[in-house]
Amino acid sequence: MQAIAREMSEGNFAARAPVRSPDEIGVLARALNVLAGGSATGSRISSMSGPKIGAILDGMVEGVLAVDGRGHVVLMNERARAIFGLHATRPEGTPLLEVVRHVGLHELVGQCR
């Protein structure tokens, strides 16, 4: 699913996440597929305004955190901010290490990169 999300972030909206389970991972895969287009074109999605995408992500019950190749937070939805106790802050653009001090999370992010 990480590879699919990476492709989508690079503009390949034809990529689709496999939907195989009814659990949270399956829900996330379906959400990625809807964002990538379903019946919409990639250009329509890429032209969505930041606030609209933010509203979609903030409405999710799952925490969503995206980090770029330099380790900076690209996106953190409302649920993820609540999980890490960052209710009033918007950490986008800040190094993850400065935002969340959790060794296990940093190791996981390092493995994913």
Side-chain angles (χ1 to χ4, degrees):
M1 187 134 44
Q2 289 174 331
I4 299 299
R6 186 175 307 112
E7 284 186 49
M8 290 176 185
S9 73
E10 293 170 353
N12 178 7
F13 297 107
R16 292 291 180 263
V19 181
R20 295 191 184 111
S21 61
D23 62 5
E24 294 86 5
I25 299 298
V27 170
L28 182 57
R30 285 187 290 283
L32 280 173
N33 291 341
V34 168
L35 283 175
S39 62
T41 64
S43 61
R44 283 178 53 198
I45 290 169
S46 63
S47 68
M48 273 185 163
S49 66
K52 186 180 277 188
I53 292 172
I56 291 169
L57 291 171
D58 283 343
M60 295 176 67
V61 295
E62 296 86 5
V64 178
L65 168 66
V67 180
D68 66 14
R70 299 176 306 147
H72 289 87
V73 175
V74 174
L75 178 139
M76 183 180 274
N77 73 347
E78 187 174 311
R79 179 66 182 132
R81 289 191 307 274
I83 289 169
F84 295 114
L86 306 169
H87 301 283
T89 60
R90 291 298 238 171
E92 286 81 358
T94 307
L96 181 61
L97 186 58
E98 292 178 21
V99 175
V100 179
R101 303 212 182 258
H102 188 283
V103 174
L105 177 65
H106 293 284
E107 289 174 355
L108 178 63
V109 170
Q111 291 172 2
C112 291
R113 286 194 291 163

